[in-house]
Amino acid sequence: MKYLVPPILFLVLAVPSLHSQNRTLKKDGKHFLFSFKEDSYLISGDSLFCITKEKEGFPKQHELNLVDYKFVTNDSIGYLKNRSSGIVYSFDGSKFKRLDRSFPYQSQNFSFSFLYKNNLMDFGGYGLHTYKNNIIYFDTEKKETELYPQASSYNDSPNPRHKIIGQFIGNHLYIGPGYGVLNEQESPLKNLSFINDYWKFSFKDSRWEKLGEGSLNITFPFYGSIENFNQNTLVIAEEGVFECDIKNNTLITYPNAKLNVTRTLNRSFDEYKVTYNKFEDKFYFIINKTSGVAELVSLSKEGFLGTKKVYSNLYRTKSYLWFIILSLFVVFILIYFYFTSKKTPSQVISKNLFKIREEIKLEDFKILKRLVDVSPNYINYSELLDVFPEHYSYESKKKKTRQSILYLEEYLIQKIKLKLPVFEFRRNIEDRREKQIRIK
């Protein structure tokens, strides 16, 4: 009977305090907060607590074979995984069920986790002395983690990184800043840095697209993130609290956020000890106390973030201004050359005079040559009559000139490929009795 006293005493003292505003915890103990559907939970040591309400069967022993935790949910299903990937449990709001036949990989620590078509997936991470820029997924049939195929080359993908700020919407994965290596640097593992660029991965064509670059006011490793916060990602850091919408290039800053809370969070290399329950519209935190203990506290969303929001761009997109200017300049040049290099009918005829001379009669050629010589001006019809012999009467010359013009037009259309009409006619401005002609 005496061995039952400590557990009973623990339950009597722990359960009421757990559902109150504050709860004292062992500072160096393993504590993990997560939210699923309408409730929030605490894993502390070997026990699982529901911290939002009295719930039948809680607290309970969880019997998890995990050291470091990562919980991923889309509100309908939830997975608790080993932070470094490999081991996966499902969670139904009451109990955990082991799904894998694997082991802790130790290769994808602090990756960005998300659910695509209810499949558990991860991008990036760190482990086994390397930084990653690949996508992995848990195969529920094989009960193992597999590599997701990508069409983009290694160099056309984001630089390897971990502790990533990301976002997943629809069929697109959005990746933002993280700590890792730059591929283009010499000896990259000796030149680790914070990487400040943004990318989009399409699951339709399995390709990456760079969106732009832009930094956040955060310090590695002292920041954490909450995904699916208003469909965005909430970043909590000592320097400030930000809401990142990578898809729409929007940064929402909360200038009145309670930074005294963020500065007292458990700031080891682990993730921040914080969860957001959107059904309660409330945050739960595990904070460090000056007395040497940790404490579970809760704040409403407005109580933690405040009501003021400041909007700005999250990253600088690629500038297409110079490309547009250059394109317009090239188009202008092409149009200029098109119109300046476009040959007039008279120029086309001049170019083919030698060929024309061999194919038409001399009188017809002389008339055409005179028209070419005066082009683009008009010439009096009477000036064309003298190409014919002098013994022809005036009327005969006029008739033959008209016939020659008709023949030349038909010939130039068929043989030289000019368009109708080849010639233009008008009355002489100074003497309306005189008819004039020119090549159009």
Side-chain angles (χ1 to χ4, degrees), residues 91-156:
F91 182 66
D92 62 4
S94 177
K95 62 182 181 299
F96 296 100
K97 178 183 177 182
R98 179 130 182 207
L99 303 179
D100 67 282
R101 295 175 185 165
S102 189
F103 56 91
Y105 281 177
Q106 302 300 329
S107 63
Q108 307 277 154
N109 285 285
F110 302 107
S111 59
F112 177 74
S113 304
F114 59 99
L115 296 176
Y116 172 59
K117 294 183 177 180
N118 289 339
N119 292 314
L120 180 60
M121 312 192 81
D122 290 85
F123 169 81
Y126 172 79
L128 305 177
H129 307 291
T130 59
Y131 292 84
K132 310 296 190 302
N133 70 343
N134 53 17
I135 298 175
I136 60 173
Y137 69 99
F138 180 71
D139 190 317
T140 54
E141 293 184 1
K142 293 182 179 179
K143 300 184 181 299
E144 293 181 351
T145 301
E146 302 280 344
L147 187 66
Y148 189 85
Q150 301 180 47
S152 297
S153 67
Y154 184 84
N155 291 329
D156 291 328

Side-chain angles (χ1 to χ4, degrees), residues 91-280:
F91 182 66
D92 62 4
S94 177
K95 62 182 181 299
F96 296 100
K97 178 183 177 182
R98 179 130 182 207
L99 303 179
D100 67 282
R101 295 175 185 165
S102 189
F103 56 91
Y105 281 177
Q106 302 300 329
S107 63
Q108 307 277 154
N109 285 285
F110 302 107
S111 59
F112 177 74
S113 304
F114 59 99
L115 296 176
Y116 172 59
K117 294 183 177 180
N118 289 339
N119 292 314
L120 180 60
M121 312 192 81
D122 290 85
F123 169 81
Y126 172 79
L128 305 177
H129 307 291
T130 59
Y131 292 84
K132 310 296 190 302
N133 70 343
N134 53 17
I135 298 175
I136 60 173
Y137 69 99
F138 180 71
D139 190 317
T140 54
E141 293 184 1
K142 293 182 179 179
K143 300 184 181 299
E144 293 181 351
T145 301
E146 302 280 344
L147 187 66
Y148 189 85
Q150 301 180 47
S152 297
S153 67
Y154 184 84
N155 291 329
D156 291 328
S157 304
N159 284 291
R161 66 195 75 185
H162 76 316
K163 275 190 80 75
I164 301 156
I165 296 167
Q167 183 182 24
F168 182 80
I169 297 179
N171 292 313
H172 294 99
L173 167 65
Y174 298 88
I175 290 301
Y179 191 78
V181 296
L182 296 172
N183 296 328
E184 59 273 16
Q185 275 192 341
E186 186 177 350
S187 302
L189 288 176
K190 295 180 181 179
N191 295 281
L192 299 176
S193 62
F194 207 82
I195 302 171
N196 291 297
D197 56 13
Y198 295 81
W199 293 74
K200 178 176 73 173
F201 181 80
S202 171
F203 279 91
K204 290 184 177 180
D205 57 19
S206 294
R207 290 189 178 278
W208 286 101
E209 174 191 352
K210 187 173 181 180
L211 300 176
E213 298 187 3
S215 59
L216 288 173
N217 184 26
I218 55 180
T219 304
F220 177 82
F222 306 125
Y223 62 92
S225 61
I226 297 175
E227 286 78 42
N228 198 21
F229 182 84
N230 301 327
Q231 288 195 325
N232 302 326
T233 297
L234 187 71
V235 180
I236 301 174
E238 285 189 346
E239 296 83 358
V241 181
F242 319 95
E243 193 174 334
C244 300
D245 183 358
I246 303 176
K247 177 184 177 182
N248 297 304
N249 189 17
T250 302
L251 174 65
I252 305 172
T253 303
Y254 292 90
N256 296 330
K258 297 292 190 297
L259 297 185
N260 60 321
V261 175
T262 67
R263 289 165 183 163
T264 55
L265 292 172
N266 188 340
R267 297 186 298 104
S268 65
F269 197 71
D270 289 339
E271 295 287 340
Y272 275 104
K273 307 300 185 181
V274 58
T275 188
Y276 172 68
N277 187 311
K278 66 180 181 181
F279 292 92
E280 292 188 312

Side-chain angles (χ1 to χ4, degrees), residues 368-432:
L368 183 61
K369 183 66 168 61
R370 288 193 180 185
L371 292 172
V372 170
D373 291 341
V374 299
S375 181
N377 298 318
Y378 284 91
I379 186 173
N380 290 331
Y381 226 71
S382 59
E383 295 181 38
L384 302 176
L385 302 183
D386 60 4
V387 301
F388 298 101
E390 292 184 0
H391 62 271
Y392 282 14
S393 66
Y394 176 76
E395 292 298 328
S396 295
K397 290 181 179 181
K398 284 179 61 178
K399 182 179 179 181
K400 285 190 171 293
T401 301
R402 285 196 300 271
Q403 292 174 342
S404 181
I405 295 297
L406 292 173
Y407 168 76
L408 285 170
E409 188 167 56
E410 183 178 356
Y411 169 83
L412 293 171
I413 292 170
Q414 293 182 357
K415 299 292 185 178
I416 309 301
K417 306 303 180 183
L418 297 182
K419 295 180 180 180
L420 273 173
V422 177
F423 304 111
E424 282 185 324
F425 301 90
R426 76 173 185 182
R427 290 292 175 179
N428 192 316
I429 298 174
E430 297 177 353
D431 185 356
R432 303 292 294 175

Side-chain angles (χ1 to χ4, degrees), residues 233-367:
T233 297
L234 187 71
V235 180
I236 301 174
E238 285 189 346
E239 296 83 358
V241 181
F242 319 95
E243 193 174 334
C244 300
D245 183 358
I246 303 176
K247 177 184 177 182
N248 297 304
N249 189 17
T250 302
L251 174 65
I252 305 172
T253 303
Y254 292 90
N256 296 330
K258 297 292 190 297
L259 297 185
N260 60 321
V261 175
T262 67
R263 289 165 183 163
T264 55
L265 292 172
N266 188 340
R267 297 186 298 104
S268 65
F269 197 71
D270 289 339
E271 295 287 340
Y272 275 104
K273 307 300 185 181
V274 58
T275 188
Y276 172 68
N277 187 311
K278 66 180 181 181
F279 292 92
E280 292 188 312
D281 210 19
K282 180 187 292 185
F283 289 91
Y284 290 92
F285 306 91
I286 296 175
I287 63 173
N288 288 333
K289 302 283 286 185
T290 55
S291 58
V293 297
E295 187 174 37
L296 172 65
V297 300
S298 64
L299 282 173
S300 67
K301 183 170 73 172
E302 287 190 0
F304 174 54
L305 298 177
T307 57
K308 187 177 180 180
K309 298 180 180 181
V310 179
Y311 292 82
S312 59
N313 287 336
L314 185 59
Y315 50 85
R316 299 176 299 279
T317 57
K318 296 178 181 178
S319 176
Y320 294 99
L321 179 60
W322 285 109
F323 176 77
I324 293 172
I325 294 174
L326 181 61
S327 298
L328 290 174
F329 178 74
V330 171
V331 170
F332 174 79
I333 295 296
L334 292 175
I335 292 173
Y336 173 80
F337 276 105
Y338 173 78
F339 284 105
T340 56
S341 62
K342 187 177 180 181
K343 294 183 178 179
T344 64
S346 179
Q347 291 173 324
V348 175
I349 294 170
S350 296
K351 185 179 178 181
N352 291 277
L353 277 178
F354 182 78
K355 171 187 174 182
I356 294 171
R357 174 63 190 89
E358 293 181 341
E359 294 180 350
I360 65 176
K361 293 188 296 183
L362 179 59
E363 290 84 356
D364 297 331
F365 178 76
K366 288 182 178 180
I367 290 176

